[in-house]
Amino acid sequence: MSSAGDLQEIERQAVAAIAAAATPDDIEAARVAHTGRKSPLAEALAGIGSLPPEQRGEVGKAGNTARKAIESALEERTTAIQAQALASRLDEERVDITLPGDRRDVGALHPIMQVRREIEDIFLGMGYAIADGPEVETDHHNFTALNTPEGHPARSMSDTLYIEGGHKTALRPQTSPVQVRAMEAQEPPIYLIAPGTVYRRDDVDATHSPMFHQLEGLAIDEGLGMADLIGTLQHFITEFFGESLESRIQPHFFPFTEPSIEVHVRWTDKRGRATWLELLGAGVVDPNVIEGAGYDSERWTGFAFGLGLDRIAMVRHGVPDLRLMYESDLRFLGQFS
Ligand code: DAH
């Protein structure tokens, strides 16, 4: 049977154990051990009923005191442990917003692709569509259908990278075969541009690379001629380079256009010297090319042009060496992002 002293001892031990609890698990274990059904306290309280009546009052009072003391110790300790847990979580999860952070490099379009997109925008604005064609191209599309007969210098091994020894297929040396593919695939009128990669067996120097980029243009309609070509190119040059850029037109030769022209722009190089720079080749589409596509060349006429995207990117940014464009050196490319 318990005495008031026993209950004081139970209280003392329980309060000490609760005070020693350090974690939410500890406090839960202490709660079960010291207030649960099998706890010394519960057993002592249960035994009060069987005490002689004159002892019940004193022991009952001591029991009550012990119960209240244990419960308030539990409550206090629980609050303290929760506060501590919250404080340490806040501490662990604290973000120091003054730290520099993990920087991720953000990608950007290559300068040649930037130029390509800008030019595409200008021609899309004039109602042109964007066409695409294969980079491994047939002899027919590369040359024959473009009025380039056998024996023409453009067909010689020195320029063109042929596939598998024969002359039937080659890496396209120009984007002009896309003109032929477009005409074969659809009826006029046609207004298209065809940007893409081209290949030539050029020596690698500051202005040549065996792979480079062109943007082809083709317009076929009723009544199109040289004046439309020049107006279109003038609009393009003004949009792309601005009003102030001086340009000139010179006669030239291309097999697939007659007459043919070359457009030059006045450019001040990095050393401050003004020079004429070849920007593009163009002309009125040769009737042979139009007839070859199965169109009536009396009714349908048009113009075509081809410009070098790499050259334009170099000019725009004052890049002295084309090879920089292909070395993937982020110190160079990062300047255009
Ligand atoms: N294909 C020519 C070249 O690679 C460029 C060119 C000139 C394209 C005149 C044309 C054109 O469409 O009409 O040098």
Side-chain angles (χ1 to χ4, degrees), residues 174 176 179 200 214 216 254 256-257 281-283 304-306:
Q174 51 187 1
S176 304
Q179 292 184 28
R200 285 186 202 171
Q214 289 188 335
E216 194 77 15
F254 295 103
F256 29 85
T257 45
F305 55 89

Side-chain angles (χ1 to χ4, degrees), residues 15-158:
V15 168
I18 290 164
T23 66
D25 285 348
D26 291 350
I27 199 80
E28 179 58 16
R31 195 185 61 73
V32 172
H34 297 288
T35 65
R37 275 189 295 120
K38 289 179 184 153
S39 61
L41 177 67
E43 275 165 10
L45 293 176
I48 290 175
S50 42
L51 282 175
E54 65 276 13
Q55 289 180 23
R56 284 185 204 159
E58 193 200 350
V59 179
K61 228 170 129 187
N64 237 351
T65 309
R67 188 175 49 76
K68 279 191 186 146
I70 293 170
E71 278 172 0
S72 78
L74 272 172
E75 203 179 293
E76 228 172 80
R77 193 69 199 132
T78 303
T79 310
I81 285 175
Q82 282 171 349
Q84 220 172 43
L86 180 66
S88 71
R89 246 184 73 191
L90 285 175
D91 200 44
E92 272 168 29
E93 294 175 7
R94 188 176 56 194
V95 174
D96 183 352
I97 56 165
T98 64
L99 287 173
D102 296 331
R103 272 185 200 284
R104 299 254 165 113
D105 287 339
V106 177
L109 290 179
H110 190 280
I112 293 173
M113 186 54 94
Q114 290 177 20
V115 161
R116 170 175 159 172
R117 292 272 171 93
E118 254 183 74
I119 298 175
E120 285 175 359
D121 264 2
I122 294 169
F123 281 96
L124 286 170
M126 288 192 273
Y128 283 63
I130 298 177
D132 202 4
E135 288 170 25
V136 174
E137 194 42 291
T138 65
D139 183 74
H140 167 77
H141 293 97
N142 271 332
F143 300 120
T144 313
L146 286 165
N147 203 31
T148 309
E150 293 261 2
H152 190 279
R155 300 183 69 136
S156 82
M157 287 294 283
S158 62

Side-chain angles (χ1 to χ4, degrees), residues 258-285:
E258 180 59 35
S260 304
I261 59 170
E262 224 174 50
V263 176
H264 298 190
V265 291
R266 193 75 172 154
W267 196 257
T268 308
D269 68 17
K270 276 216 302 200
R271 289 188 214 138
R273 289 180 312 206
T275 50
W276 286 107
L277 188 107
E278 182 203 327
L279 191 67
L280 57 89
V284 174
V285 180

